[in-house]
């Protein structure tokens, strides 16, 4: 029975760890910072006509395009992590 208790305790710890990871990822996705992701030449050409809203829109687009690869790598990492620990 002692081994069964150890197994149950490990499952509880893993579930707690999974919940922490889930909430961290959820918080990371919805928490945003103001970022300037344009190159200097793009910014200069967009701001030269005086319309900064277009420059901000291009900046937002660059940030969104940059985020997709990071999200994909994170999902693949979680998938590999779960496969690795499912075998043990």
């Amino acid at each position: 029975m002692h081994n069964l208790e150890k197994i149950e305790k490990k499952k509880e710890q893993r579930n707690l760890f999974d919940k922490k990871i889930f909430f961290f990822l959820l918080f990371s996705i919805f928490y945003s910072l103001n970022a300037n992701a344009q190159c200097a030449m793009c910014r200069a050409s967009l701001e030269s006509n005086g319309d900064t809203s277009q420059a901000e829109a291009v900046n937002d687009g660059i940030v969104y395009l940059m985020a997709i690869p990071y999200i994909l790598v994170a999902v693949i990492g979680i998938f590999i992590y779960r496969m690795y620990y499912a075998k043990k």
Side-chain angles (χ1 to χ4, degrees):
M1 283 304 251
H2 188 63
N3 288 336
L4 185 60
E5 291 173 359
K6 284 183 181 180
I7 292 171
E8 289 297 321
K9 187 174 182 180
K10 284 184 180 181
K11 283 183 182 179
E12 288 176 14
Q13 288 176 344
R14 183 173 173 198
N15 286 339
L16 181 63
F17 181 73
D18 287 345
K19 287 179 185 178
K20 285 181 182 179
I21 292 290
F22 172 75
F23 285 115
F24 174 75
L25 289 175
L26 188 68
F27 178 76
S28 297
I29 290 170
F30 289 112
Y31 183 77
S32 66
L33 295 173
N34 190 10
N36 294 323
Q38 291 178 350
C39 68
M41 292 180 65
C42 295
R43 170 170 245 133
S45 67
L46 286 171
E47 289 181 348
S48 65
N49 61 4
D51 185 20
T52 59
S53 65
Q54 186 179 11
E56 291 174 4
V58 170
N59 190 23
D60 291 341
I62 292 169
V63 171
Y64 291 133
L65 288 172
M66 181 190 70
I68 298 299
Y70 287 104
I71 293 170
L72 289 174
V73 168
V75 168
I76 291 170
I78 291 170
F79 180 71
I80 291 171
Y81 172 81
R82 288 186 182 259
M83 281 181 34
Y84 178 75
Y85 280 106
K87 291 181 180 180
K88 286 187 176 182

